[in-house]
Amino acid sequence: MIVLSLVKTKGVIIKSIDYKENDKLIWAYTEEVGKITFIARGAKKSKSKNLSITLPLCFGEYVFFKGKNLYNLQEGKILNSFQGLLNNLDKLTYSSYICELIDICVQEGEINKLLFRDFITCLYLLNTDAMDYELLVRAFELRLLKATGYGLQFDNCSLCKKKIATAEYISLSHYGGVCIECKKEHGLHVSKAAYNALRFLNNTPMDKIYRLNITTEIKKQIERVTTFIINSNYSKKPKSLEMLNYIKE
């Protein structure tokens, strides 16, 4: 008699591909087992119970059993389909981007409940009209960097460790601000306003970042910092924002 090991967890569908004739191969980011790959039997069929619960961005509660190599979906229910994200190009692009970041930056089976909570919070906030989507995504990038070992330090010089109030240079090899006395190399010059905004985004709960009001130029400086670190430290470069940036230009 074979006893199946069942796992029940909340999760978000981050991507899927067709698999065999009627099935789908799904990647999800979950609370209890981290990022996983699973098979959803019959999910390609229009009348399948697994169709709606395996759509991209769907946040649900799922039950899996572990097969020889992959998880298999047994059942699930939708907690939030986030379908409102699909009706706005900016929202859709940014939500696709943070899903792509999870796929690229988080290892299979790596559990981080705090990052999962931040991920869900970011999706819920993107699904509203309450704040600047771009700043929200920058705040999530900073949390993802911290969770995966590349977090930036803003309160102390990343070289000499002396406490600093602000800075105008960020070391990209030591991941943080550089004081006036230390050597400036392998990094980026930023304005004090951009540095302080980065620290605010890094330290402030995501549902409170609407308090930050900054110029387009400062936003560009912040993006340059996070983008460089993300593109330099993970196995792949995210592509989701390229079309949106092209359209905005």
Side-chain angles (χ1 to χ4, degrees), residues 9-10 26 30 32 42 58 61 88 109 114 168 177 204 219:
T9 181
K10 294 175 181 177
I26 311 284
T30 74
E32 301 296 334
C58 182
E61 192 167 64
N88 178 292
L114 178 58
E168 295 180 278
T204 304
K219 286 182 184 179

Side-chain angles (χ1 to χ4, degrees), residues 11-33:
V12 175
I13 306 303
I14 57 175
K15 72 174 184 178
S16 69
I17 58 172
D18 291 345
Y19 182 72
K20 297 185 177 179
E21 186 176 354
N22 295 311
D23 306 336
K24 284 185 179 181
L25 195 60
I26 311 284
W27 284 260
Y29 190 47
T30 74
E31 184 176 29
E32 301 296 334
V33 286

Side-chain angles (χ1 to χ4, degrees), residues 153-168:
Q153 51 182 315
F154 297 102
D155 296 326
N156 298 82
C157 174
S158 59
L159 299 179
C160 71
K161 309 306 178 186
K162 183 177 69 177
K163 193 166 184 64
I164 52 176
T166 188
E168 295 180 278

Side-chain angles (χ1 to χ4, degrees), residues 142-143 145-147 149-179 182 188 190 194-196 198-203 225-226 229:
L142 290 166
R143 283 154 177 77
L145 289 171
K146 182 178 180 181
Y150 302 104
L152 291 166
Q153 51 182 315
F154 297 102
D155 296 326
N156 298 82
C157 174
S158 59
L159 299 179
C160 71
K161 309 306 178 186
K162 183 177 69 177
K163 193 166 184 64
I164 52 176
T166 188
E168 295 180 278
Y169 193 85
I170 292 178
S171 169
L172 299 173
S173 53
H174 290 86
Y175 306 107
V178 178
C179 70
C182 286
L188 291 172
V190 296
Y195 189 89
N196 293 337
L198 272 163
R199 176 160 50 194
F200 180 87
L201 292 172
N202 189 67
N203 297 340
V225 172
T226 59
I229 297 174

